[in-house]
């Protein structure tokens, strides 16, 4: 979740009351700082920036869907992303929407819908991906990998994760997410040998993390690996 200052840089939809909007965001963010990803956080974010707002910002809808994804409520994530399906979006918002929707549909297990969505948007994604930061590129490749996994195309799914991500210093959560996705794919493929190696890689990556930002973060990440090992993501 973006910090209040990072969110302020993007701007708020009600520019005439920017200070009030920022305060609401700070209040919601405090839940994240204290307890991490939770249903309470999701509902507070939805109440403050989507459900009771006439024209919610696409960014906030996408971020809310991402928060629901983190607590593995993929159907609610899809519900909110659907609000953007027919909206005219800027290139970055559309890229994030496509990544989020592809990831969400795939986690639900609707592989055919994921294939159709990828086919419909592949032209835009191919054109836009080289323009995006490496982190967002990684998020797309993870989503594409999950789509292949949902279709039981496990070898292609794993190949997509080897797209050439370059680690970004200490506590690289994106790198860990790639390892966690590999754990999940091996688990879904019932490949026990590959699973053991993938779990070892993910746990080894996490052991390198030092001085995490939040007290809950290490336990959360350990739980992500454990869930993936059991075919849950």
């Amino acid at each position: 979740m973006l910090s209040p200052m990072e969110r302020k840089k993007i701007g708020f939809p009600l520019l005439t009351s920017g200070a009030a909007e920022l305060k609401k965001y700070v209040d919601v963010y405090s839940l994240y700082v204290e307890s991490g990803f939770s249903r309470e956080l999701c509902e507070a974010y939805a109440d403050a920036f989507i459900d009771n707002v006439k024209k919610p910002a696409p960014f906030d809808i996408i971020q809310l869907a991402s928060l629901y994804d983190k607590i593995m409520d993929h159907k609610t994530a899809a519900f909110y992303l659907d609000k953007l399906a027919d909206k005219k979006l800027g290139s970055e918002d559309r890229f994030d929407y496509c990544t989020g929707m592809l990831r969400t549909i795939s986690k639900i297990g609707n592989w055919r819908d994921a294939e159709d969505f990828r086919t419909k948007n592949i032209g835009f994604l191919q054109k836009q991906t080289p323009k995006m930061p490496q982190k967002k590129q990684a998020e797309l490749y993870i989503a594409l990998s999950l789509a292949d996994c949902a279709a039981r195309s496990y070898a292609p799914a794993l190949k997509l994760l080897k797209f050439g991500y370059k680690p970004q210093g200490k506590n690289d959560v994106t790198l860990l997410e790639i390892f966690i996705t590999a754990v999940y794919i091996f688990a879904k493929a019932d490949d026990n040998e590959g699973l053991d190696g993938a779990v070892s890689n993910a746990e080894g990556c996490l052991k390198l993390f030092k001085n995490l930002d939040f007290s809950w973060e290490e336990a959360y990440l350990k739980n992500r690996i454990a869930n993936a090992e059991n075919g849950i993501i």
Side-chain angles (χ1 to χ4, degrees):
M1 184 175 178
L2 291 187
S3 72
M5 290 301 100
E6 289 171 326
R7 181 65 185 88
K8 185 179 179 181
K9 290 178 182 179
I10 296 172
F12 289 97
L14 302 178
L15 298 179
T16 57
S17 58
E21 293 287 285
L22 180 59
K23 183 181 183 305
K24 286 198 298 182
Y25 193 90
V26 170
D27 289 343
V28 173
Y29 187 75
S30 67
L31 297 174
Y32 172 72
V33 172
E34 181 179 348
S35 303
F37 302 106
S38 67
R39 187 163 299 278
E40 181 186 8
L41 171 65
C42 294
E43 291 175 351
Y45 198 114
D47 182 65
F49 294 104
I50 289 92
D51 293 347
N52 297 307
V53 176
K54 188 174 182 180
K55 292 184 178 180
F59 172 86
D60 286 316
I61 294 174
I62 293 166
Q63 182 165 223
L64 176 62
S66 176
L67 295 178
Y68 272 111
D69 175 72
K70 295 295 187 183
I71 65 169
M72 296 184 289
D73 186 347
H74 306 308
K75 290 185 178 179
T76 303
F79 167 80
Y80 279 103
L81 288 172
D82 275 337
K83 293 179 179 292
L84 299 175
D86 299 319
K87 301 291 185 182
K88 186 175 181 179
L89 303 173
S91 295
E92 187 164 345
D93 281 338
R94 185 181 172 190
F95 185 90
D96 291 340
Y97 158 74
C98 287
T99 298
M101 185 60 85
L102 188 60
R103 178 181 63 237
T104 299
I105 296 171
S106 301
K107 288 184 178 183
I108 291 172
N110 294 342
W111 68 269
R112 193 175 296 279
D113 289 345
E115 288 290 327
D116 291 344
F117 186 87
R118 175 164 55 185
T119 299
K120 180 180 178 181
N121 293 282
I122 193 63
F124 165 77
L125 291 171
Q126 287 177 332
K127 182 179 179 181
Q128 191 65 25
T129 299
K131 304 175 185 178
M132 303 305 292
Q134 186 181 211
K135 179 179 183 295
K136 288 186 180 290
Q137 291 185 29
E139 290 171 354
L140 174 62
Y141 277 100
I142 288 171
L144 291 168
S145 178
L146 290 169
D148 275 347
C149 182
R152 299 184 181 180
S153 297
Y154 302 119
L158 290 167
K159 186 176 180 180
L160 279 166
L161 295 178
K162 300 177 181 179
F163 66 95
Y165 181 79
K166 297 178 181 178
Q168 303 295 300
K170 67 174 185 177
N171 300 353
D172 189 344
V173 175
T174 300
L175 178 62
L176 182 57
E177 285 293 335
I178 293 171
F179 285 135
I180 289 172
T181 305
V183 171
Y184 171 75
I185 293 169
F186 278 115
K188 299 299 284 188
D190 291 324
D191 183 338
N192 291 328
E193 183 177 351
L195 178 60
D196 289 342
V199 170
S200 178
N201 288 338
E203 291 178 341
C205 179
L206 181 55
K207 285 178 181 177
L208 297 175
F209 282 36
K210 303 296 181 184
N211 301 317
L212 292 168
D213 294 330
F214 308 108
S215 61
W216 50 264
E217 198 168 3
E218 183 176 3
Y220 167 75
L221 294 172
K222 285 182 177 178
N223 192 51
R224 288 288 316 282
I225 296 171
N227 280 336
E229 188 176 2
N230 289 304
I232 304 168
I233 197 169

